[in-house]
Short mmCIF file of all heavy atoms in Angstrom, two decimals:
data_model
loop_
_atom_site.label_atom_id
_atom_site.label_comp_id
_atom_site.label_asym_id
_atom_site.label_seq_id
_atom_site.Cartn_x
_atom_site.Cartn_y
_atom_site.Cartn_z
N TYR A 1 1.37 -78.05 -130.91
CA TYR A 1 0.43 -78.64 -131.85
C TYR A 1 1.00 -79.93 -132.43
O TYR A 1 0.28 -80.92 -132.63
CB TYR A 1 0.11 -77.66 -132.97
CG TYR A 1 -0.82 -76.54 -132.56
CD1 TYR A 1 -0.72 -75.30 -133.15
CD2 TYR A 1 -1.79 -76.73 -131.59
CE1 TYR A 1 -1.56 -74.25 -132.77
CE2 TYR A 1 -2.63 -75.70 -131.21
CZ TYR A 1 -2.52 -74.46 -131.80
OH TYR A 1 -3.34 -73.45 -131.42
N SER A 2 2.32 -79.95 -132.71
CA SER A 2 2.94 -81.14 -133.27
C SER A 2 2.88 -82.30 -132.28
O SER A 2 2.63 -83.44 -132.63
CB SER A 2 4.40 -80.84 -133.64
OG SER A 2 4.46 -79.84 -134.61
N PHE A 3 3.10 -81.97 -131.00
CA PHE A 3 3.04 -82.99 -129.95
C PHE A 3 1.64 -83.58 -129.83
O PHE A 3 1.47 -84.80 -129.73
CB PHE A 3 3.49 -82.40 -128.62
CG PHE A 3 3.37 -83.38 -127.47
CD1 PHE A 3 4.32 -84.36 -127.28
CD2 PHE A 3 2.30 -83.29 -126.59
CE1 PHE A 3 4.20 -85.26 -126.24
CE2 PHE A 3 2.20 -84.18 -125.55
CZ PHE A 3 3.15 -85.18 -125.37
N ILE A 4 0.66 -82.70 -129.88
CA ILE A 4 -0.73 -83.17 -129.79
C ILE A 4 -1.08 -84.05 -130.98
O ILE A 4 -1.72 -85.08 -130.85
CB ILE A 4 -1.69 -81.96 -129.69
CG1 ILE A 4 -1.47 -81.21 -128.37
CG2 ILE A 4 -3.14 -82.42 -129.82
CD1 ILE A 4 -2.26 -79.94 -128.24
N LEU A 5 -0.61 -83.62 -132.20
CA LEU A 5 -0.88 -84.40 -133.39
C LEU A 5 -0.22 -85.77 -133.31
O LEU A 5 -0.81 -86.79 -133.64
CB LEU A 5 -0.38 -83.64 -134.63
CG LEU A 5 -0.56 -84.35 -135.99
CD1 LEU A 5 -2.04 -84.64 -136.22
CD2 LEU A 5 0.02 -83.49 -137.11
N LEU A 6 1.06 -85.77 -132.86
CA LEU A 6 1.78 -87.03 -132.73
C LEU A 6 1.11 -87.94 -131.71
O LEU A 6 0.95 -89.15 -131.94
CB LEU A 6 3.22 -86.75 -132.29
CG LEU A 6 4.11 -87.99 -132.04
CD1 LEU A 6 4.23 -88.82 -133.32
CD2 LEU A 6 5.50 -87.56 -131.56
N LEU A 7 0.71 -87.37 -130.59
CA LEU A 7 0.01 -88.15 -129.57
C LEU A 7 -1.28 -88.74 -130.11
O LEU A 7 -1.62 -89.89 -129.86
CB LEU A 7 -0.28 -87.27 -128.34
CG LEU A 7 -1.00 -87.95 -127.18
CD1 LEU A 7 -0.21 -89.13 -126.65
CD2 LEU A 7 -1.29 -86.96 -126.07
N GLY A 8 -1.97 -87.93 -130.92
CA GLY A 8 -3.21 -88.41 -131.52
C GLY A 8 -2.97 -89.58 -132.45
O GLY A 8 -3.73 -90.56 -132.46
N LEU A 9 -1.91 -89.54 -133.24
CA LEU A 9 -1.60 -90.63 -134.15
C LEU A 9 -1.24 -91.90 -133.39
O LEU A 9 -1.64 -93.00 -133.76
CB LEU A 9 -0.43 -90.22 -135.07
CG LEU A 9 -0.76 -89.15 -136.12
CD1 LEU A 9 0.52 -88.73 -136.84
CD2 LEU A 9 -1.78 -89.66 -137.11
N VAL A 10 -0.46 -91.75 -132.32
CA VAL A 10 -0.10 -92.91 -131.50
C VAL A 10 -1.34 -93.57 -130.92
O VAL A 10 -1.50 -94.78 -130.95
CB VAL A 10 0.87 -92.50 -130.37
CG1 VAL A 10 1.08 -93.64 -129.40
CG2 VAL A 10 2.20 -92.05 -130.96
N LEU A 11 -2.22 -92.73 -130.38
CA LEU A 11 -3.45 -93.26 -129.80
C LEU A 11 -4.32 -93.93 -130.85
O LEU A 11 -4.97 -94.95 -130.60
CB LEU A 11 -4.23 -92.15 -129.09
CG LEU A 11 -3.56 -91.56 -127.85
CD1 LEU A 11 -4.38 -90.39 -127.32
CD2 LEU A 11 -3.37 -92.61 -126.77
N LEU A 12 -4.33 -93.33 -132.06
CA LEU A 12 -5.13 -93.90 -133.14
C LEU A 12 -4.61 -95.27 -133.53
O LEU A 12 -5.37 -96.21 -133.71
CB LEU A 12 -5.11 -92.96 -134.35
CG LEU A 12 -5.88 -93.45 -135.60
CD1 LEU A 12 -7.36 -93.66 -135.24
CD2 LEU A 12 -5.74 -92.45 -136.73
N LEU A 13 -3.28 -95.41 -133.65
CA LEU A 13 -2.68 -96.69 -133.99
C LEU A 13 -2.97 -97.72 -132.91
O LEU A 13 -3.25 -98.88 -133.19
CB LEU A 13 -1.17 -96.53 -134.20
CG LEU A 13 -0.74 -95.74 -135.45
CD1 LEU A 13 0.76 -95.52 -135.44
CD2 LEU A 13 -1.15 -96.47 -136.72
N ALA A 14 -2.85 -97.27 -131.67
CA ALA A 14 -3.13 -98.20 -130.57
C ALA A 14 -4.59 -98.65 -130.57
O ALA A 14 -4.90 -99.80 -130.32
CB ALA A 14 -2.79 -97.53 -129.24
N ALA A 15 -5.47 -97.70 -130.92
CA ALA A 15 -6.89 -98.03 -130.95
C ALA A 15 -7.21 -99.02 -132.05
O ALA A 15 -8.05 -99.89 -131.90
CB ALA A 15 -7.71 -96.75 -131.13
N CYS A 16 -6.52 -98.87 -133.18
CA CYS A 16 -6.77 -99.78 -134.31
C CYS A 16 -6.44 -101.21 -133.94
O CYS A 16 -7.02 -102.15 -134.46
CB CYS A 16 -5.93 -99.35 -135.52
SG CYS A 16 -6.49 -97.81 -136.26
N GLY A 17 -5.45 -101.39 -133.04
CA GLY A 17 -5.06 -102.72 -132.66
C GLY A 17 -5.88 -103.29 -131.53
O GLY A 17 -5.66 -104.44 -131.15
N SER A 18 -6.77 -102.47 -130.99
CA SER A 18 -7.54 -102.96 -129.82
C SER A 18 -8.99 -102.49 -129.84
O SER A 18 -9.55 -102.15 -128.82
CB SER A 18 -6.88 -102.49 -128.53
OG SER A 18 -6.80 -101.08 -128.52
N ASP A 19 -9.58 -102.46 -131.05
CA ASP A 19 -10.98 -102.01 -131.18
C ASP A 19 -11.91 -102.88 -130.35
O ASP A 19 -12.79 -102.40 -129.67
CB ASP A 19 -11.42 -102.05 -132.65
CG ASP A 19 -10.88 -100.85 -133.41
OD1 ASP A 19 -10.43 -99.89 -132.74
OD2 ASP A 19 -10.90 -100.87 -134.65
N GLN A 20 -11.67 -104.19 -130.46
CA GLN A 20 -12.58 -105.09 -129.76
C GLN A 20 -12.51 -104.91 -128.25
O GLN A 20 -13.51 -104.88 -127.56
CB GLN A 20 -12.25 -106.54 -130.13
CG GLN A 20 -13.25 -107.55 -129.52
CD GLN A 20 -12.98 -108.95 -130.02
OE1 GLN A 20 -12.07 -109.18 -130.81
NE2 GLN A 20 -13.79 -109.89 -129.55
N ALA A 21 -11.27 -104.76 -127.76
CA ALA A 21 -11.12 -104.56 -126.32
C ALA A 21 -11.75 -103.26 -125.88
O ALA A 21 -12.39 -103.17 -124.83
CB ALA A 21 -9.63 -104.57 -125.96
N SER A 22 -11.59 -102.20 -126.72
CA SER A 22 -12.18 -100.90 -126.38
C SER A 22 -13.69 -100.98 -126.35
O SER A 22 -14.34 -100.42 -125.48
CB SER A 22 -11.72 -99.85 -127.39
OG SER A 22 -10.32 -99.68 -127.35
N ASP A 23 -14.26 -101.67 -127.37
CA ASP A 23 -15.72 -101.80 -127.42
C ASP A 23 -16.23 -102.52 -126.18
O ASP A 23 -17.23 -102.15 -125.58
CB ASP A 23 -16.15 -102.57 -128.68
CG ASP A 23 -15.90 -101.75 -129.94
OD1 ASP A 23 -15.71 -100.52 -129.82
OD2 ASP A 23 -15.90 -102.36 -131.03
N THR A 24 -15.48 -103.58 -125.80
CA THR A 24 -15.89 -104.33 -124.61
C THR A 24 -15.81 -103.48 -123.36
O THR A 24 -16.71 -103.48 -122.52
CB THR A 24 -15.00 -105.58 -124.45
OG1 THR A 24 -15.09 -106.38 -125.62
CG2 THR A 24 -15.42 -106.39 -123.22
N THR A 25 -14.70 -102.72 -123.25
CA THR A 25 -14.53 -101.85 -122.09
C THR A 25 -15.61 -100.78 -122.03
O THR A 25 -16.16 -100.50 -120.98
CB THR A 25 -13.15 -101.17 -122.14
OG1 THR A 25 -12.14 -102.17 -122.17
CG2 THR A 25 -12.95 -100.27 -120.93
N ALA A 26 -15.93 -100.20 -123.21
CA ALA A 26 -16.96 -99.16 -123.27
C ALA A 26 -18.31 -99.72 -122.86
O ALA A 26 -19.07 -99.09 -122.12
CB ALA A 26 -17.04 -98.57 -124.67
N GLN A 27 -18.60 -100.94 -123.36
CA GLN A 27 -19.88 -101.55 -123.02
C GLN A 27 -19.96 -101.84 -121.53
O GLN A 27 -20.97 -101.61 -120.87
CB GLN A 27 -20.06 -102.85 -123.83
CG GLN A 27 -21.42 -103.54 -123.58
CD GLN A 27 -22.58 -102.67 -124.01
OE1 GLN A 27 -22.59 -102.15 -125.13
NE2 GLN A 27 -23.54 -102.48 -123.13
N ASN A 28 -18.84 -102.37 -120.99
CA ASN A 28 -18.81 -102.65 -119.56
C ASN A 28 -18.99 -101.38 -118.75
O ASN A 28 -19.67 -101.37 -117.72
CB ASN A 28 -17.48 -103.32 -119.18
CG ASN A 28 -17.38 -104.74 -119.71
OD1 ASN A 28 -18.40 -105.34 -120.05
ND2 ASN A 28 -16.17 -105.27 -119.79
N SER A 29 -18.34 -100.30 -119.20
CA SER A 29 -18.47 -99.03 -118.50
C SER A 29 -19.89 -98.52 -118.54
O SER A 29 -20.44 -98.04 -117.55
CB SER A 29 -17.53 -98.00 -119.13
OG SER A 29 -17.68 -96.74 -118.51
N GLU A 30 -20.54 -98.67 -119.73
CA GLU A 30 -21.92 -98.22 -119.87
C GLU A 30 -22.84 -99.03 -118.99
O GLU A 30 -23.72 -98.49 -118.32
CB GLU A 30 -22.35 -98.35 -121.33
CG GLU A 30 -23.77 -97.87 -121.60
CD GLU A 30 -24.15 -97.98 -123.07
OE1 GLU A 30 -23.23 -98.09 -123.91
OE2 GLU A 30 -25.36 -97.95 -123.37
N ASP A 31 -22.62 -100.36 -118.96
CA ASP A 31 -23.44 -101.22 -118.12
C ASP A 31 -23.25 -100.88 -116.65
O ASP A 31 -24.20 -100.88 -115.86
CB ASP A 31 -23.08 -102.69 -118.35
CG ASP A 31 -23.48 -103.16 -119.74
OD1 ASP A 31 -24.30 -102.47 -120.38
OD2 ASP A 31 -22.96 -104.21 -120.19
N THR A 32 -21.99 -100.60 -116.27
CA THR A 32 -21.70 -100.25 -114.88
C THR A 32 -22.39 -98.96 -114.48
O THR A 32 -22.98 -98.85 -113.40
CB THR A 32 -20.18 -100.11 -114.67
OG1 THR A 32 -19.55 -101.35 -115.00
CG2 THR A 32 -19.87 -99.73 -113.22
N ASN A 33 -22.35 -97.95 -115.38
CA ASN A 33 -23.00 -96.67 -115.10
C ASN A 33 -24.50 -96.84 -114.95
O ASN A 33 -25.13 -96.25 -114.06
CB ASN A 33 -22.70 -95.67 -116.20
CG ASN A 33 -21.24 -95.22 -116.19
OD1 ASN A 33 -20.57 -95.32 -115.17
ND2 ASN A 33 -20.76 -94.75 -117.33
#
């Protein structure tokens, strides 16, 4: 559980620094689908 929590925090921090890129990727993925 601690590993999963730690992994979640790392991913959250990474996401905070790349929201715009993620949004763009998600939109591109949606358009592709």
Side-chain angles (χ1 to χ4, degrees):
Y1 285 149
S2 298
F3 177 78
I4 294 174
L5 179 59
L6 177 61
L7 180 60
L9 290 174
V10 171
L11 294 175
L12 178 60
L13 290 173
C16 290
S18 58
D19 282 345
Q20 185 174 0
S22 297
D23 291 343
T24 302
T25 302
Q27 182 62 50
N28 289 342
S29 177
E30 182 179 341
D31 292 343
T32 300
N33 290 338

